Amino acid sequence: MARYIFITGGVVSSLGKGLASAALGALLQARGYTVRLRKLDPYLNVDPGTMSPFEHGEVFVTDDGAETDLDLGHYERFTGVAARRTDSVSSGRIYSNVLEKERRGDYLGKTIQVIPHVTNEIKDFLSVGADEVDFQLCEIGGTVGDIEGLPFFEAIRQFAQERPRGQCIFMHLTLLPYVAASGELKTKPTQHSVKELRSIGIAPDVLVCRSEHPIPEKEREKIGLFCNVRKESVIAAYDLKSIYEAPLAYHREGLDQAVLDAFGIAPAPKPNLARWHDVNERLTHAEGEVRVAIVGKYVQLEDAYKSIKEALTHGGMANKVRVKVEWVDSEVFDREDPAPYLEGYHAILVPGGFGERGTEGKIKTAQFARERGIPYLGICLGMQLAVIEAARNVAGFKTAGSEEFDHEAGKRRFEPVVYHLKEWVQGNHVVERTVTDDKGGTMRLGAYTAALVEGSKVAEVYGASRIEERHRHRYEVDTKYREALEDKGLCFSGMSPDGRLPEIVEWKDHPWFIGVQFHPELKSKPFAPHPLFADFVRAAVETSRLV
């Protein structure tokens, strides 16, 4: 049976619970254990799929088609363990399941209550896969005291109570604010956070304290005394230059040892941290720098493109260069020429997105990259807009556009080079969709296979003829325009196995111009950079040498 580590947070949100969970998972792996990381979110959305990136950052998609929290991206990047649908749940999903059971009559006429029905549903979720790994790390979203999080806290309290002694521990993240006027770190917020946690029946075994300054020994003793935690289990979490320093930083602070001590595992296996020393070596000893522009419409919130930024960092590590990512608002180009803004960059990336806002600026960006010979990577909508640009400016379809924008406007204005996807093959059955379907969970989601054209740039990059990548889209490039576009040099170099859905396009006579319908950034890791990003950065390095 797996041992369980429940990670909670207090004082303020965004302290880095997801990163701490991911780093701890990596450290346990380094000691030879198998791990699974999971996220329990208190919000009432069934999943983050219908949320704006401004609300919740990017949506991370799993191989089996779940739309999940961006923290699952951290989990995958740090451990290499592919997340699954059963690794993410929200209050919305829990309540939805409970109400569906009530409608079916599963509760045999009982009055449905938070305790025991909602908490039992949460415990059932926690029990999934209990015999598959050595450790399950379960992060509870939000902070202790949030009213919507109370059922989750009660459920993990019950869960730990019902398991044999020593099978579950609690790790709590708090903030130690520094008051400049007095020159002191203040422990009171941490004390109050732990007091709140203890009031609902949970006593933390390990405290991780986020701080901008070193924690003096005297303060550690004070925290340990007032929070009823061993001094050695008060772990400092300092700000780092890179998130990939976290495993080594937490190891130096003794986090993995404190966790193993809390479980009574002694003697503990020695860690092999060679992988993380190599990652940090590549990060800190870069041999150059390239500038990459991400042209999007959610640039005010970097978390909207979290996986893309990290995948570019991984691509830089593969080429031993530092990638300086700069965010460019595509809406500016709706009104202005992109050339003055983009001329200094060595490569351009246009990411996915939804809606018409900012798309004309992205089309101009694709045109700039095509005409100037600048490396271009278009992802999802970034690919579709590159095709629209080619259709308008090269193939002569002056009103080329996407049905998505016509549906949004409520009238037809464009020739639909990109259309609403009505059916596709998933496994051994056909999925059908209509424009009027519910928005949540109805896109083409998860891992699908693509067949690559022999001799194409992408076949060379991947070193394969078939690949599997993760998707999240409901609009698709129409193959009836394929012949006209290929006559002008835009090669459809990757297709679905049945030949009906374009997966990849590339310009034959361009140094590096590739658009992909899928999201390669979701599978990139610091110790295994995605081949597309590694080669994209390599092309940027080539461009930097020519400038």
Side-chain angles (χ1 to χ4, degrees), residues 8-11 142-146 153 172 192-194 196-197 200:
T8 60
V11 186
T143 58
V144 62
D146 293 346
F153 288 107
H172 191 55
H192 280 295
S193 182
V194 172
E196 180 76 24
L197 193 63
I200 55 180

Side-chain angles (χ1 to χ4, degrees), residues 392-464:
R392 286 183 187 178
N393 300 323
V394 182
F397 300 97
K398 295 301 181 185
T399 60
S402 171
E403 272 193 340
E404 178 180 5
F405 313 146
D406 280 349
H407 291 152
E408 188 178 344
K411 57 184 177 181
R412 174 157 182 181
R413 299 166 296 156
F414 298 116
E415 183 164 355
V417 173
V418 176
Y419 70 101
H420 183 271
L421 189 56
K422 294 172 181 62
E423 66 175 46
W424 64 89
V425 176
Q426 183 176 19
N428 57 3
H429 70 282
V430 175
V431 179
E432 295 183 346
R433 291 283 183 261
T434 67
V435 176
T436 57
D437 282 346
D438 290 345
K439 291 284 186 278
T442 56
M443 285 184 272
R444 186 171 181 244
L445 291 164
Y448 288 89
T449 301
L452 308 185
V453 173
E454 189 177 340
S456 63
K457 168 68 80 174
V458 288
E460 176 191 333
V461 168
Y462 277 97

Side-chain angles (χ1 to χ4, degrees), residues 17 25 31 129 162 164 198 217 330 350 412 434 440 461-462 469:
K17 291 197 303 297
R31 290 180 181 265
E162 293 162 4
R198 292 173 68 87
E217 197 67 15
S330 62
V350 175
R412 174 157 182 181
T434 67
V461 168
Y462 277 97
E469 294 283 3

Side-chain angles (χ1 to χ4, degrees), residues 117-235:
H117 301 99
V118 171
T119 50
N120 283 350
E121 191 71 25
I122 296 168
K123 289 188 289 183
D124 288 345
F125 168 80
L126 293 171
S127 299
V128 172
D131 57 348
E132 296 176 4
V133 293
D134 298 318
F135 289 95
Q136 283 212 36
L137 288 76
C138 303
E139 177 193 346
I140 315 298
T143 58
V144 62
D146 293 346
I147 192 167
E148 64 266 33
L150 288 174
F152 287 99
F153 288 107
E154 172 59 18
I156 63 175
R157 184 197 69 77
Q158 292 179 19
F159 190 88
Q161 187 75 9
E162 293 162 4
R163 288 293 185 280
R165 186 179 296 275
Q167 198 180 343
C168 301
I169 70 164
F170 296 94
M171 183 171 115
H172 191 55
L173 267 80
T174 67
L175 177 68
L176 287 184
Y178 179 76
V179 179
S182 62
E184 292 179 301
L185 281 174
K186 290 298 182 182
T187 65
K188 195 62 75 175
T190 292
Q191 292 178 45
H192 280 295
S193 182
V194 172
K195 181 182 178 184
E196 180 76 24
L197 193 63
R198 292 173 68 87
S199 73
I200 55 180
I202 296 173
D205 300 282
V206 178
L207 270 180
V208 178
C209 302
R210 186 73 183 266
S211 172
E212 295 178 4
H213 298 269
I215 304 174
E217 197 67 15
K218 177 184 166 189
E219 303 304 318
R220 282 185 198 256
E221 292 174 358
K222 182 178 178 182
I223 293 167
L225 178 65
F226 285 102
C227 297
N228 201 33
V229 174
R230 294 171 63 232
K231 183 186 74 173
E232 295 79 15
S233 295
V234 177
I235 308 298

